[in-house]
Amino acid sequence: MGILEKIAEIEKEISRTQKNKATEYHLGLLKAKLAKYRVQLLEPTKGAGVKGEGFDVMKSGDARVALIGFPSVGKSTLLNKLTKTHSEAGAYEFTTLTCIPGKIEHNGANIQLLDLPGIIEGAAQGKGRGRQVIAVARTADLVVMMLDATKSSQQRTLLELELEAVGIRLNRSKPNVYFKVKTGGGISFNATVKLTHLNEKMVYHILHDYKIFNAEVLVREDITVDEFIDVVLGNRKYIKCLYVYNKIDSITLEELDKLAREPNTVVISCEMDLNLDYLVDQIWRHLNLLRVYTKKRGEYPDFEGGLIVRKGASVEHVCHAIHRSLADEFRYALVWGTSTKHNPQRVGLSHIVDNDDVIQVVKKK
Ligand SMILES: Nc1nc2c(ncn2[C@@H]2O[C@H](COP(=O)(O)OP(=O)(O)OP(=O)(O)O)[C@@H](O)[C@H]2O)c(=O)[nH]1
Ligand SMILES: [K+]
Ligand SMILES: [Mg+2]
């Protein structure tokens, strides 16, 4: 039996099994098996490379955004609107067959925007160019899931399931679990909170199923079986996702109002140039980028330059962004901005910076 058939069989069994306390354990094991086969499916087979021609695009700029969506939702039209790159757009499906990079400049950051072929149901199993598209999506800092506002809301669920099936977790954080495979000592299992979905026996069985007999597990939040499997597999990608409904020129105001209220959502029309500036700004926000400025003693800050760092970056990160050896010569920094109580404030390397902060590094003599 091939892997696809095995997957189909387990999926059938899961859908046949009623969900209740008595079957929870059995379902957990089935899900573990399913995840294992899906991983096998994604492993590159000899000869047929997963990368694929036309998908090997170099990362460039401060962040990477992948356009994911069904065919003909307007991905290429959007790339043409937001960047100087041209990507063929057309009223027929699969106009785009490779990965086409463009560049957005916003708030001092260079954002790489990738146009990709449309994906279809079954993409995770390798339908269409699904695997290549998904492989690119995994490398992105943000997925822009493009949807057709004139189509049913099912399209979004379907796409999410496709990405879910290949280990992409959208708008979720990594489960708070310490997990370490060891060479001996059996399995040690502990939890710092009350677990309502998972118990020790289940953990043991899932680990055995993955041929792990020695490991340390410390669960620090009330996770589900699926989340525990994610931790064990370890190859999950936690990526932010912005949902973008295009073609709002073709729906009613009531429909528009409903879509616009969904979380992490922007509604646009490429054709009518509606809301595109707002979209770029939301992309910037969802990327969690910050711009900070540096200044030399006795001079004005360089507001033309500016450095792009990630939210949560410390003065040390900023030093690295300026020069490799700067952190070694660092004595203290003066910071003006919203991250400090006084302006300026004398801070150390671990100080966390905020958007628009001005930083003056004072070096050791
Ligand atoms: N009404 C309307 N049509 C649009 C809009 N944006 C794009 N289209 C049309 O939608 C069709 C598909 O556009 P594309 O940009 O080729 O879509 P795509 O998602 O790149 O398609 P594939 O590459 O085939 O997956 C074209 O006929 C566009 O003119 C929009 O805002 N409103
Ligand atoms: K198209
Ligand atoms: Mg296209």
Side-chain angles (χ1 to χ4, degrees), residues 135-176:
V136 173
R138 284 178 71 96
T139 68
D141 301 298
L142 174 71
V143 164
V144 165
M145 191 180 284
M146 206 159 175
L147 303 154
D148 187 331
T150 67
K151 301 242 165 92
S152 89
S153 63
Q154 218 200 342
Q155 47 170 346
R156 174 173 156 173
T157 318
L158 284 175
L159 265 182
E160 284 173 332
L161 286 175
E162 289 295 334
L163 297 182
E164 190 78 14
V166 292
I168 293 177
R169 302 289 174 261
L170 299 175
N171 293 336
R172 280 198 270 151
S173 52
K174 207 170 171 166
N176 190 354

mmCIF file of all heavy atoms in Angstrom, residues 135-176:
data_model
loop_
_atom_site.group_PDB
_atom_site.id
_atom_site.type_symbol
_atom_site.label_atom_id
_atom_site.label_comp_id
_atom_site.label_asym_id
_atom_site.label_seq_id
_atom_site.Cartn_x
_atom_site.Cartn_y
_atom_site.Cartn_z
ATOM 1 N N ALA A 135 6.778 24.664 -0.077
ATOM 2 C CA ALA A 135 8.173 24.744 0.355
ATOM 3 C C ALA A 135 8.620 26.205 0.423
ATOM 4 O O ALA A 135 9.352 26.601 1.333
ATOM 5 C CB ALA A 135 9.080 23.952 -0.582
ATOM 6 N N VAL A 136 8.167 27.015 -0.523
ATOM 7 C CA VAL A 136 8.515 28.447 -0.494
ATOM 8 C C VAL A 136 7.793 29.130 0.676
ATOM 9 O O VAL A 136 8.391 29.925 1.398
ATOM 10 C CB VAL A 136 8.154 29.143 -1.829
ATOM 11 C CG1 VAL A 136 8.360 30.651 -1.717
ATOM 12 C CG2 VAL A 136 8.997 28.579 -2.973
ATOM 13 N N ALA A 137 6.528 28.786 0.879
ATOM 14 C CA ALA A 137 5.760 29.400 1.972
ATOM 15 C C ALA A 137 6.456 29.184 3.316
ATOM 16 O O ALA A 137 6.461 30.057 4.172
ATOM 17 C CB ALA A 137 4.350 28.828 2.019
ATOM 18 N N ARG A 138 7.067 28.007 3.480
ATOM 19 C CA ARG A 138 7.754 27.700 4.740
ATOM 20 C C ARG A 138 8.925 28.635 5.015
ATOM 21 O O ARG A 138 9.361 28.762 6.150
ATOM 22 C CB ARG A 138 8.262 26.246 4.741
ATOM 23 C CG ARG A 138 7.171 25.221 4.974
ATOM 24 C CD ARG A 138 7.754 23.827 4.904
ATOM 25 N NE ARG A 138 8.597 23.526 6.066
ATOM 26 C CZ ARG A 138 8.174 22.879 7.132
ATOM 27 N NH1 ARG A 138 6.937 22.453 7.207
ATOM 28 N NH2 ARG A 138 8.988 22.639 8.143
ATOM 29 N N THR A 139 9.468 29.254 3.966
ATOM 30 C CA THR A 139 10.630 30.124 4.156
ATOM 31 C C THR A 139 10.203 31.575 4.408
ATOM 32 O O THR A 139 11.054 32.435 4.594
ATOM 33 C CB THR A 139 11.543 30.116 2.913
ATOM 34 O OG1 THR A 139 10.852 30.755 1.829
ATOM 35 C CG2 THR A 139 11.947 28.711 2.511
ATOM 36 N N ALA A 140 8.905 31.832 4.403
ATOM 37 C CA ALA A 140 8.438 33.222 4.497
ATOM 38 C C ALA A 140 8.300 33.685 5.945
ATOM 39 O O ALA A 140 8.069 32.888 6.839
ATOM 40 C CB ALA A 140 7.099 33.363 3.787
ATOM 41 N N ASP A 141 8.443 34.984 6.153
ATOM 42 C CA ASP A 141 8.203 35.567 7.474
ATOM 43 C C ASP A 141 6.721 35.847 7.663
ATOM 44 O O ASP A 141 6.232 35.970 8.776
ATOM 45 C CB ASP A 141 8.979 36.880 7.619
ATOM 46 C CG ASP A 141 10.467 36.672 7.453
ATOM 47 O OD1 ASP A 141 11.039 35.945 8.268
ATOM 48 O OD2 ASP A 141 11.046 37.207 6.485
ATOM 49 N N LEU A 142 6.026 35.983 6.547
ATOM 50 C CA LEU A 142 4.589 36.248 6.594
ATOM 51 C C LEU A 142 3.939 35.618 5.369
ATOM 52 O O LEU A 142 4.458 35.726 4.266
ATOM 53 C CB LEU A 142 4.341 37.765 6.584
ATOM 54 C CG LEU A 142 2.892 38.242 6.480
ATOM 55 C CD1 LEU A 142 2.132 37.960 7.776
ATOM 56 C CD2 LEU A 142 2.820 39.741 6.172
ATOM 57 N N VAL A 143 2.817 34.943 5.597
ATOM 58 C CA VAL A 143 2.029 34.440 4.490
ATOM 59 C C VAL A 143 0.884 35.416 4.265
ATOM 60 O O VAL A 143 0.166 35.746 5.206
ATOM 61 C CB VAL A 143 1.465 33.032 4.790
ATOM 62 C CG1 VAL A 143 0.347 32.663 3.832
ATOM 63 C CG2 VAL A 143 2.580 31.994 4.750
ATOM 64 N N VAL A 144 0.767 35.921 3.039
ATOM 65 C CA VAL A 144 -0.426 36.680 2.696
ATOM 66 C C VAL A 144 -1.353 35.704 1.980
ATOM 67 O O VAL A 144 -1.052 35.237 0.887
ATOM 68 C CB VAL A 144 -0.105 37.901 1.815
ATOM 69 C CG1 VAL A 144 -1.376 38.446 1.172
ATOM 70 C CG2 VAL A 144 0.536 38.998 2.650
ATOM 71 N N MET A 145 -2.427 35.315 2.672
ATOM 72 C CA MET A 145 -3.357 34.377 2.064
ATOM 73 C C MET A 145 -4.386 35.172 1.289
ATOM 74 O O MET A 145 -5.209 35.877 1.856
ATOM 75 C CB MET A 145 -4.026 33.517 3.121
ATOM 76 C CG MET A 145 -4.796 32.374 2.496
ATOM 77 S SD MET A 145 -5.582 31.343 3.733
ATOM 78 C CE MET A 145 -4.191 30.431 4.350
ATOM 79 N N MET A 146 -4.303 35.053 -0.043
ATOM 80 C CA MET A 146 -5.170 35.864 -0.874
ATOM 81 C C MET A 146 -6.429 35.084 -1.227
ATOM 82 O O MET A 146 -6.374 33.942 -1.668
ATOM 83 C CB MET A 146 -4.419 36.271 -2.137
ATOM 84 C CG MET A 146 -4.981 37.540 -2.691
ATOM 85 S SD MET A 146 -3.795 38.334 -3.761
ATOM 86 C CE MET A 146 -4.809 39.654 -4.346
ATOM 87 N N LEU A 147 -7.567 35.737 -1.015
ATOM 88 C CA LEU A 147 -8.853 35.082 -1.216
ATOM 89 C C LEU A 147 -9.717 35.930 -2.137
ATOM 90 O O LEU A 147 -9.543 37.146 -2.218
ATOM 91 C CB LEU A 147 -9.542 34.908 0.136
ATOM 92 C CG LEU A 147 -8.716 34.118 1.156
ATOM 93 C CD1 LEU A 147 -9.089 34.475 2.578
ATOM 94 C CD2 LEU A 147 -8.871 32.624 0.920
ATOM 95 N N ASP A 148 -10.627 35.268 -2.812
ATOM 96 C CA ASP A 148 -11.533 35.951 -3.729
ATOM 97 C C ASP A 148 -12.807 36.298 -2.956
ATOM 98 O O ASP A 148 -13.542 35.397 -2.529
ATOM 99 C CB ASP A 148 -11.841 35.010 -4.903
ATOM 100 C CG ASP A 148 -12.642 35.695 -5.989
ATOM 101 O OD1 ASP A 148 -13.413 36.626 -5.662
ATOM 102 O OD2 ASP A 148 -12.512 35.291 -7.158
ATOM 103 N N ALA A 149 -13.057 37.598 -2.784
ATOM 104 C CA ALA A 149 -14.198 38.031 -1.973
ATOM 105 C C ALA A 149 -15.537 37.568 -2.549
ATOM 106 O O ALA A 149 -16.529 37.485 -1.832
ATOM 107 C CB ALA A 149 -14.183 39.554 -1.834
ATOM 108 N N THR A 150 -15.549 37.210 -3.833
ATOM 109 C CA THR A 150 -16.816 36.803 -4.446
ATOM 110 C C THR A 150 -17.093 35.311 -4.235
ATOM 111 O O THR A 150 -18.174 34.828 -4.529
ATOM 112 C CB THR A 150 -16.817 37.071 -5.968
ATOM 113 O OG1 THR A 150 -15.866 36.206 -6.591
ATOM 114 C CG2 THR A 150 -16.465 38.517 -6.287
ATOM 115 N N LYS A 151 -16.088 34.591 -3.717
ATOM 116 C CA LYS A 151 -16.268 33.143 -3.523
ATOM 117 C C LYS A 151 -16.636 32.819 -2.076
ATOM 118 O O LYS A 151 -16.513 33.663 -1.188
ATOM 119 C CB LYS A 151 -14.973 32.420 -3.903
ATOM 120 C CG LYS A 151 -14.543 32.668 -5.347
ATOM 121 C CD LYS A 151 -14.521 31.364 -6.125
ATOM 122 C CE LYS A 151 -14.449 31.611 -7.620
ATOM 123 N NZ LYS A 151 -13.088 31.654 -8.136
ATOM 124 N N SER A 152 -17.032 31.566 -1.832
ATOM 125 C CA SER A 152 -17.518 31.187 -0.504
ATOM 126 C C SER A 152 -16.386 31.189 0.523
ATOM 127 O O SER A 152 -15.211 31.103 0.189
ATOM 128 C CB SER A 152 -18.140 29.800 -0.551
ATOM 129 O OG SER A 152 -17.148 28.829 -0.300
ATOM 130 N N SER A 153 -16.784 31.255 1.786
ATOM 131 C CA SER A 153 -15.785 31.335 2.860
ATOM 132 C C SER A 153 -15.050 30.010 3.032
ATOM 133 O O SER A 153 -14.067 29.919 3.754
ATOM 134 C CB SER A 153 -16.469 31.720 4.168
ATOM 135 O OG SER A 153 -17.376 30.706 4.537
ATOM 136 N N GLN A 154 -15.556 28.980 2.332
ATOM 137 C CA GLN A 154 -14.925 27.664 2.424
ATOM 138 C C GLN A 154 -13.491 27.677 1.895
ATOM 139 O O GLN A 154 -12.637 26.920 2.359
ATOM 140 C CB GLN A 154 -15.757 26.691 1.603
ATOM 141 C CG GLN A 154 -15.885 25.329 2.223
ATOM 142 C CD GLN A 154 -16.286 24.308 1.192
ATOM 143 O OE1 GLN A 154 -16.777 24.662 0.112
ATOM 144 N NE2 GLN A 154 -16.086 23.062 1.494
ATOM 145 N N GLN A 155 -13.223 28.560 0.925
ATOM 146 C CA GLN A 155 -11.886 28.603 0.322
ATOM 147 C C GLN A 155 -10.805 28.825 1.373
ATOM 148 O O GLN A 155 -9.727 28.242 1.301
ATOM 149 C CB GLN A 155 -11.812 29.713 -0.730
ATOM 150 C CG GLN A 155 -12.380 31.023 -0.240
ATOM 151 C CD GLN A 155 -12.108 32.202 -1.166
ATOM 152 O OE1 GLN A 155 -11.282 32.143 -2.059
ATOM 153 N NE2 GLN A 155 -12.817 33.285 -0.929
ATOM 154 N N ARG A 156 -11.146 29.656 2.353
ATOM 155 C CA ARG A 156 -10.157 29.951 3.384
ATOM 156 C C ARG A 156 -9.868 28.714 4.238
ATOM 157 O O ARG A 156 -8.720 28.370 4.501
ATOM 158 C CB ARG A 156 -10.669 31.117 4.235
ATOM 159 C CG ARG A 156 -9.793 31.389 5.403
ATOM 160 C CD ARG A 156 -10.200 32.635 6.125
ATOM 161 N NE ARG A 156 -9.726 32.532 7.497
ATOM 162 C CZ ARG A 156 -9.798 33.513 8.369
ATOM 163 N NH1 ARG A 156 -10.334 34.658 8.036
ATOM 164 N NH2 ARG A 156 -9.347 33.345 9.592
ATOM 165 N N THR A 157 -10.926 28.021 4.649
ATOM 166 C CA THR A 157 -10.760 26.806 5.447
ATOM 167 C C THR A 157 -9.953 25.762 4.681
ATOM 168 O O THR A 157 -9.076 25.116 5.238
ATOM 169 C CB THR A 157 -12.153 26.231 5.793
ATOM 170 O OG1 THR A 157 -13.000 27.322 6.135
ATOM 171 C CG2 THR A 157 -12.072 25.258 6.923
ATOM 172 N N LEU A 158 -10.269 25.606 3.401
ATOM 173 C CA LEU A 158 -9.559 24.614 2.585
ATOM 174 C C LEU A 158 -8.064 24.912 2.521
ATOM 175 O O LEU A 158 -7.232 24.019 2.705
ATOM 176 C CB LEU A 158 -10.133 24.592 1.165
ATOM 177 C CG LEU A 158 -11.470 23.893 1.003
ATOM 178 C CD1 LEU A 158 -11.977 24.048 -0.419
ATOM 179 C CD2 LEU A 158 -11.345 22.423 1.373
ATOM 180 N N LEU A 159 -7.736 26.163 2.270
ATOM 181 C CA LEU A 159 -6.328 26.552 2.191
ATOM 182 C C LEU A 159 -5.625 26.334 3.521
ATOM 183 O O LEU A 159 -4.495 25.841 3.558
ATOM 184 C CB LEU A 159 -6.216 28.023 1.814
ATOM 185 C CG LEU A 159 -6.023 28.357 0.350
ATOM 186 C CD1 LEU A 159 -5.892 29.856 0.181
ATOM 187 C CD2 LEU A 159 -4.782 27.672 -0.196
ATOM 188 N N GLU A 160 -6.304 26.707 4.585
ATOM 189 C CA GLU A 160 -5.700 26.532 5.904
ATOM 190 C C GLU A 160 -5.409 25.060 6.161
ATOM 191 O O GLU A 160 -4.363 24.714 6.697
ATOM 192 C CB GLU A 160 -6.625 27.090 6.989
ATOM 193 C CG GLU A 160 -6.587 28.604 7.049
ATOM 194 C CD GLU A 160 -7.619 29.181 8.000
ATOM 195 O OE1 GLU A 160 -8.677 28.554 8.221
ATOM 196 O OE2 GLU A 160 -7.374 30.272 8.512
ATOM 197 N N LEU A 161 -6.334 24.190 5.747
ATOM 198 C CA LEU A 161 -6.125 22.757 5.945
ATOM 199 C C LEU A 161 -4.930 22.253 5.151
ATOM 200 O O LEU A 161 -4.161 21.423 5.630
ATOM 201 C CB LEU A 161 -7.388 21.977 5.556
ATOM 202 C CG LEU A 161 -8.542 22.073 6.554
ATOM 203 C CD1 LEU A 161 -9.768 21.361 6.014
ATOM 204 C CD2 LEU A 161 -8.134 21.486 7.906
ATOM 205 N N GLU A 162 -4.777 22.767 3.931
ATOM 206 C CA GLU A 162 -3.632 22.358 3.104
ATOM 207 C C GLU A 162 -2.320 22.716 3.796
ATOM 208 O O GLU A 162 -1.393 21.913 3.850
ATOM 209 C CB GLU A 162 -3.672 23.047 1.734
ATOM 210 C CG GLU A 162 -4.771 22.553 0.807
ATOM 211 C CD GLU A 162 -4.607 21.100 0.391
ATOM 212 O OE1 GLU A 162 -3.471 20.607 0.388
ATOM 213 O OE2 GLU A 162 -5.635 20.461 0.099
ATOM 214 N N LEU A 163 -2.257 23.932 4.309
ATOM 215 C CA LEU A 163 -1.021 24.380 4.948
ATOM 216 C C LEU A 163 -0.798 23.649 6.267
ATOM 217 O O LEU A 163 0.318 23.275 6.615
ATOM 218 C CB LEU A 163 -1.048 25.897 5.169
ATOM 219 C CG LEU A 163 -1.119 26.734 3.888
ATOM 220 C CD1 LEU A 163 -1.091 28.217 4.199
ATOM 221 C CD2 LEU A 163 0.037 26.394 2.944
ATOM 222 N N GLU A 164 -1.886 23.421 6.968
ATOM 223 C CA GLU A 164 -1.849 22.683 8.229
ATOM 224 C C GLU A 164 -1.267 21.277 8.000
ATOM 225 O O GLU A 164 -0.428 20.808 8.762
ATOM 226 C CB GLU A 164 -3.289 22.576 8.751
ATOM 227 C CG GLU A 164 -3.446 22.069 10.144
ATOM 228 C CD GLU A 164 -3.133 23.122 11.203
ATOM 229 O OE1 GLU A 164 -3.045 24.325 10.880
ATOM 230 O OE2 GLU A 164 -2.979 22.716 12.348
ATOM 231 N N ALA A 165 -1.697 20.660 6.915
ATOM 232 C CA ALA A 165 -1.302 19.279 6.616
ATOM 233 C C ALA A 165 0.200 19.133 6.385
ATOM 234 O O ALA A 165 0.745 18.044 6.516
ATOM 235 C CB ALA A 165 -2.071 18.770 5.394
ATOM 236 N N VAL A 166 0.865 20.216 6.022
ATOM 237 C CA VAL A 166 2.304 20.112 5.786
ATOM 238 C C VAL A 166 3.105 20.777 6.900
ATOM 239 O O VAL A 166 4.256 21.129 6.738
ATOM 240 C CB VAL A 166 2.714 20.721 4.433
ATOM 241 C CG1 VAL A 166 2.173 19.889 3.302
ATOM 242 C CG2 VAL A 166 2.251 22.162 4.333
ATOM 243 N N GLY A 167 2.446 20.957 8.043
ATOM 244 C CA GLY A 167 3.194 21.409 9.216
ATOM 245 C C GLY A 167 3.371 22.902 9.333
ATOM 246 O O GLY A 167 4.212 23.375 10.079
ATOM 247 N N ILE A 168 2.593 23.673 8.572
ATOM 248 C CA ILE A 168 2.645 25.122 8.742
ATOM 249 C C ILE A 168 1.555 25.513 9.733
ATOM 250 O O ILE A 168 0.402 25.101 9.601
ATOM 251 C CB ILE A 168 2.457 25.848 7.392
ATOM 252 C CG1 ILE A 168 3.661 25.558 6.490
ATOM 253 C CG2 ILE A 168 2.300 27.361 7.604
ATOM 254 C CD1 ILE A 168 3.560 26.170 5.106
ATOM 255 N N ARG A 169 1.927 26.253 10.759
ATOM 256 C CA ARG A 169 0.974 26.696 11.775
ATOM 257 C C ARG A 169 0.815 28.204 11.667
ATOM 258 O O ARG A 169 1.754 28.938 11.927
ATOM 259 C CB ARG A 169 1.479 26.311 13.175
ATOM 260 C CG ARG A 169 1.714 24.808 13.347
ATOM 261 C CD ARG A 169 0.393 24.047 13.379
ATOM 262 N NE ARG A 169 0.588 22.606 13.405
ATOM 263 C CZ ARG A 169 0.506 21.832 12.315
ATOM 264 N NH1 ARG A 169 0.253 22.348 11.139
ATOM 265 N NH2 ARG A 169 0.676 20.535 12.414
ATOM 266 N N LEU A 170 -0.382 28.618 11.260
ATOM 267 C CA LEU A 170 -0.613 30.041 11.005
ATOM 268 C C LEU A 170 -1.114 30.767 12.254
ATOM 269 O O LEU A 170 -2.037 30.293 12.910
ATOM 270 C CB LEU A 170 -1.619 30.215 9.875
ATOM 271 C CG LEU A 170 -1.200 29.634 8.519
ATOM 272 C CD1 LEU A 170 -2.337 29.757 7.515
ATOM 273 C CD2 LEU A 170 0.053 30.313 7.986
ATOM 274 N N ASN A 171 -0.503 31.904 12.534
ATOM 275 C CA ASN A 171 -0.897 32.750 13.662
ATOM 276 C C ASN A 171 -1.006 31.991 14.983
ATOM 277 O O ASN A 171 -1.909 32.228 15.775
ATOM 278 C CB ASN A 171 -2.235 33.450 13.356
ATOM 279 C CG ASN A 171 -2.078 34.454 12.225
ATOM 280 O OD1 ASN A 171 -0.989 34.951 11.971
ATOM 281 N ND2 ASN A 171 -3.168 34.744 11.538
ATOM 282 N N ARG A 172 -0.105 31.034 15.164
ATOM 283 C CA ARG A 172 -0.071 30.325 16.440
ATOM 284 C C ARG A 172 1.352 30.353 16.970
ATOM 285 O O ARG A 172 2.299 30.458 16.200
ATOM 286 C CB ARG A 172 -0.520 28.882 16.243
ATOM 287 C CG ARG A 172 -2.027 28.794 16.185
ATOM 288 C CD ARG A 172 -2.495 27.419 16.426
ATOM 289 N NE ARG A 172 -2.606 26.673 15.179
ATOM 290 C CZ ARG A 172 -2.458 25.367 15.102
ATOM 291 N NH1 ARG A 172 -2.142 24.671 16.162
ATOM 292 N NH2 ARG A 172 -2.607 24.765 13.952
ATOM 293 N N SER A 173 1.474 30.262 18.271
ATOM 294 C CA SER A 173 2.837 30.246 18.800
ATOM 295 C C SER A 173 3.254 28.819 19.116
ATOM 296 O O SER A 173 2.423 27.930 19.299
ATOM 297 C CB SER A 173 2.941 31.136 20.026
ATOM 298 O OG SER A 173 1.935 30.783 20.938
ATOM 299 N N LYS A 174 4.544 28.627 19.153
ATOM 300 C CA LYS A 174 5.114 27.324 19.433
ATOM 301 C C LYS A 174 4.640 26.858 20.807
ATOM 302 O O LYS A 174 4.687 27.638 21.763
ATOM 303 C CB LYS A 174 6.642 27.505 19.436
ATOM 304 C CG LYS A 174 7.405 26.297 19.089
ATOM 305 C CD LYS A 174 8.860 26.653 18.877
ATOM 306 C CE LYS A 174 9.627 25.371 18.753
ATOM 307 N NZ LYS A 174 10.957 25.568 18.238
ATOM 308 N N PRO A 175 4.178 25.599 20.952
ATOM 309 C CA PRO A 175 3.730 25.133 22.265
ATOM 310 C C PRO A 175 4.856 25.237 23.298
ATOM 311 O O PRO A 175 6.010 24.949 22.981
ATOM 312 C CB PRO A 175 3.372 23.667 22.014
ATOM 313 C CG PRO A 175 3.156 23.552 20.555
ATOM 314 C CD PRO A 175 4.031 24.576 19.912
ATOM 315 N N ASN A 176 4.490 25.637 24.492
ATOM 316 C CA ASN A 176 5.486 25.833 25.531
ATOM 317 C C ASN A 176 5.822 24.502 26.202
ATOM 318 O O ASN A 176 5.273 24.156 27.242
ATOM 319 C CB ASN A 176 4.951 26.853 26.543
ATOM 320 C CG ASN A 176 6.012 27.297 27.510
ATOM 321 O OD1 ASN A 176 7.134 26.769 27.509
ATOM 322 N ND2 ASN A 176 5.678 28.249 28.356
#
